[in-house]
Amino acid sequence: MKVKNIIKYVFAAFLMLQLSSCNSNTDAEQLFDKTPTERLEVQKSELNDALLASEFGWKAVYFTDNTVLGGYTHLFRFTENGNVEMASDFDDDTAVYKSEYAIQLGSTVSLVFTTKNRIHLLSESDNYPIPALRAKGYLGDFQFLYYGQENGQIIFKANRNNTEIRFVKATAQDWIDLPKNLVTEQNVIGGDSRPLFRLLETNDGTTKHQFDFTFSPVTRFAEANSIETGFSFSYEMGVGYTPTGIIVSPAVEVGGQKLTDFVYNSTDGSFTATGTGGVSAVIKYTDKPLVLTDDYKILLAGQATAAFGFYPDDYTMDATTNSALFYTELERINASLPAGQEISSVQLYFNHSLGNFIYYTFVGRSALFHYVDVVADNTGKKIILKHKSWNGNTTVATPAFLANFDKYLMDPNGLYVKKESFRLVYTNTVYTFASSTSPFRITTWKL
């Protein structure tokens, strides 16, 4: 090759390297040619465009803290003038309300709901579902920090506790169907005619496991604990309502698959999540406790005095193990009493010096003693309470305002008795009494 050609090729290669270097520098400069404020402005514009881009707005199931609370569905429709229309299934009011919002700049870009609307019900400290959340409310927020977009969803994190919230595009049907979430809520709680006990059954494709299942409507939170010897496992999950069932967070993991969507079956009241390869999880009813214990034996003759109490104005009222029918019958008592009177406790005494009795106390009227005999059903691991007298008078009939409530404690087929593993704020041991033939269940402190 001639020297002149060699020089020509070397020069061309050098020129290409220079041009490549210039392009790289240009790309780098483009990445860093904006100040932090300018980059935030770009994000602000991006978020603003996204909020306005969905014809029917956005939907979010907001799990404020899935270690203690469930999810609350919110629908949002944003407008260019800073207004937002909003609806939620927080309570029975699913109407649409208008308020204001702003996209604000700070250390990051955030969506802030600046005037009061449904989302603020989750952040009010004086609005709390259980005593443990006193002065904390529902742990929610109304300032959402913007974290970008993914698969058509807008990703936020709550400023209060960094919980992730995802906005998905809403449909016209979402707005129409929102009240159906309240129907689902009642299906999750279960009607008075449904069996009392529930279980979660998982199937990993080859093996099934069963878990005792409890749900708190007040917090929308569920717990499921294994009943199998040698298999110690539990699930805790927040529950959110949909028109066709529930979603849970965190997911129920079975066979390496994460199941979040459970579909309701109106025939048997079950909720089923289906994976692949035979993987599933089902929440369903059962007619008796999954595990029968000998806890009833401390109430039998020859044992020490045992006393138990339920108080409507204290923490026993919040026990998730109380049944819907129990609350219904409690309200019925108060509705039947004259104005100014109400029930203040239900206490059960066994092997007392006065005998065995149910002690009903009231505000505005005298207490009532229902004396009973206690019979053991050792095969069914239950106790049967048999009527003796009211206030020691064997000829007096059951007071009409107590008749419906009292009959469940006098179930001729017996009561299951369970010593609970949890506490209700105080150190007292907790016991639950459950009718064996109806969905009536009362949770008490051991006094």
Side-chain angles (χ1 to χ4, degrees), residues 46-150:
E46 177 185 291
L47 175 56
N48 181 70
D49 291 344
L51 293 177
L52 300 175
S54 179
E55 179 181 2
F56 300 105
W58 297 88
K59 178 173 70 174
V61 184
Y62 185 10
F63 287 89
T64 58
D65 184 337
N66 65 6
T67 66
V68 67
L69 291 166
Y72 302 87
T73 299
H74 286 73
L75 296 171
F76 310 93
R77 187 184 288 114
F78 299 90
T79 63
E80 292 185 12
N81 60 2
N83 289 330
V84 57
E85 294 179 332
M86 191 185 308
S88 84
D89 69 353
F90 176 82
D91 53 26
D92 292 343
D93 185 0
T94 57
V96 178
Y97 293 91
K98 183 181 289 187
S99 60
E100 297 177 354
Y101 76 96
I103 299 176
Q104 297 182 353
L105 299 182
S107 57
T108 186
V109 174
S110 61
L111 168 64
V112 183
F113 298 96
T114 53
T115 58
K116 191 171 183 179
N117 207 321
R118 305 292 289 164
I119 196 73
H120 293 81
L121 294 171
L122 297 176
S123 61
E124 297 170 341
S125 60
D126 59 346
N127 178 30
Y128 50 90
I130 54 175
L133 293 175
R134 190 187 306 274
K136 298 178 182 178
Y138 284 79
L139 305 177
D141 203 349
F142 53 87
Q143 181 177 8
F144 297 165
L145 309 180
Y146 177 54
Y147 273 75
Q149 300 175 46
E150 180 181 80

Side-chain angles (χ1 to χ4, degrees), residues 356-386:
N356 302 308
F357 54 90
I358 306 168
Y359 183 53
Y360 295 98
T361 66
F362 305 88
V363 173
R365 68 179 297 136
S366 300
L368 290 170
F369 290 81
H370 188 182
Y371 289 96
V372 299
D373 285 324
V374 179
V375 177
D377 176 358
N378 293 314
T379 302
K381 297 194 174 185
K382 297 173 287 187
I383 59 166
I384 301 170
L385 304 183
K386 295 192 172 182

Side-chain angles (χ1 to χ4, degrees), residues 99 102 179 261 279 307 323 332 368 417:
S99 60
D261 296 90
V279 170
S323 69
R332 181 177 292 183
L368 290 170
V417 181

Side-chain angles (χ1 to χ4, degrees), residues 2 77 107-108 115 151 172 180 191 195 201 222 224 237 260-261 285 293 314 338 351 354 399 425:
K2 295 182 179 180
R77 187 184 288 114
S107 57
T108 186
T115 58
N151 298 325
K180 293 182 180 179
E201 183 176 270
M237 66 199 89
T260 58
D261 296 90
Y285 289 100
T293 72
D314 215 328
N351 302 311
L354 297 177
V425 181

Side-chain angles (χ1 to χ4, degrees), residues 63 65-72 130 188 213-224 235-241 249-250 320:
F63 287 89
D65 184 337
N66 65 6
T67 66
V68 67
L69 291 166
Y72 302 87
I130 54 175
V188 177
F213 183 87
T214 59
F215 172 73
S216 169
V218 177
T219 56
R220 300 188 183 183
F221 194 76
E223 298 180 29
Y235 295 101
E236 293 185 343
M237 66 199 89
V239 174
Y241 307 131
S249 177
T320 60

Side-chain angles (χ1 to χ4, degrees), residues 392-431:
N393 189 334
T394 58
T395 63
V396 173
T398 302
F401 68 89
L402 271 179
N404 277 300
F405 184 97
D406 190 77
K407 74 179 181 183
Y408 293 110
L409 293 175
M410 305 301 296
D411 187 337
N413 198 51
L415 300 173
Y416 295 111
V417 181
K418 181 183 179 183
K419 180 181 179 181
E420 304 288 2
S421 59
F422 60 83
R423 294 288 184 269
L424 294 171
V425 181
Y426 304 132
T427 58
N428 301 58
T429 305
V430 176
Y431 278 78

Side-chain angles (χ1 to χ4, degrees), residues 142-435:
F142 53 87
Q143 181 177 8
F144 297 165
L145 309 180
Y146 177 54
Y147 273 75
Q149 300 175 46
E150 180 181 80
N151 298 325
Q153 301 178 0
I154 308 176
I155 305 169
F156 297 98
K157 289 189 178 181
N159 185 54
R160 178 173 182 173
N161 57 10
N162 214 38
T163 298
E164 184 177 274
I165 307 106
R166 286 183 175 247
F167 281 22
V168 299
K169 286 187 176 181
T171 66
Q173 198 63 39
D174 286 329
W175 294 86
I176 296 170
D177 285 348
L178 186 62
K180 293 182 180 179
N181 288 16
L182 304 180
V183 177
T184 294
E185 179 178 29
Q186 293 310 308
N187 292 333
V188 177
I189 294 171
D192 291 352
S193 62
R194 293 289 189 191
L196 180 59
F197 305 100
R198 270 179 171 162
L199 63 91
L200 169 68
E201 183 176 270
T202 62
N203 186 342
D204 64 7
T206 57
T207 305
K208 291 183 178 181
H209 294 291
Q210 291 187 331
F211 304 78
D212 189 20
F213 183 87
T214 59
F215 172 73
S216 169
V218 177
T219 56
R220 300 188 183 183
F221 194 76
E223 298 180 29
N225 299 300
S226 173
I227 63 165
E228 301 169 31
T229 303
F231 182 72
S232 179
F233 194 79
S234 63
Y235 295 101
E236 293 185 343
M237 66 199 89
V239 174
Y241 307 131
T242 74
T244 58
I246 62 174
I247 58 175
V248 300
S249 177
V252 173
E253 189 163 345
V254 183
Q257 298 181 37
K258 293 183 177 182
L259 307 178
T260 58
D261 296 90
F262 289 71
V263 178
Y264 178 63
N265 182 331
S266 60
T267 302
D268 59 11
S270 64
F271 291 83
T272 302
T274 305
T276 60
V279 170
S280 67
V282 185
I283 300 166
K284 58 185 179 180
Y285 289 100
T286 177
D287 290 325
K288 65 179 183 179
L290 297 182
V291 177
L292 298 178
T293 72
D294 290 331
D295 296 338
Y296 73 101
K297 290 185 176 181
I298 69 167
L299 314 179
L300 303 182
Q303 301 298 313
T305 299
F308 307 86
F310 167 84
Y311 304 89
D313 63 346
D314 215 328
Y315 298 108
T316 48
M317 187 69 172
D318 300 322
T320 60
T321 39
N322 291 323
S323 69
L325 177 60
F326 166 71
Y327 288 126
T328 297
E329 293 300 339
L330 204 64
E331 291 174 0
R332 181 177 292 183
I333 292 174
N334 289 333
S336 301
L337 290 170
Q341 296 182 14
E342 62 182 11
I343 190 165
S344 57
S345 76
V346 179
Q347 301 172 41
L348 298 93
Y349 289 83
F350 301 90
N351 302 311
H352 190 273
S353 59
L354 297 177
N356 302 308
F357 54 90
I358 306 168
Y359 183 53
Y360 295 98
T361 66
F362 305 88
V363 173
R365 68 179 297 136
S366 300
L368 290 170
F369 290 81
H370 188 182
Y371 289 96
V372 299
D373 285 324
V374 179
V375 177
D377 176 358
N378 293 314
T379 302
K381 297 194 174 185
K382 297 173 287 187
I383 59 166
I384 301 170
L385 304 183
K386 295 192 172 182
H387 168 76
K388 287 182 66 177
S389 72
W390 284 94
N391 289 347
N393 189 334
T394 58
T395 63
V396 173
T398 302
F401 68 89
L402 271 179
N404 277 300
F405 184 97
D406 190 77
K407 74 179 181 183
Y408 293 110
L409 293 175
M410 305 301 296
D411 187 337
N413 198 51
L415 300 173
Y416 295 111
V417 181
K418 181 183 179 183
K419 180 181 179 181
E420 304 288 2
S421 59
F422 60 83
R423 294 288 184 269
L424 294 171
V425 181
Y426 304 132
T427 58
N428 301 58
T429 305
V430 176
Y431 278 78
T432 296
F433 296 79
S435 166

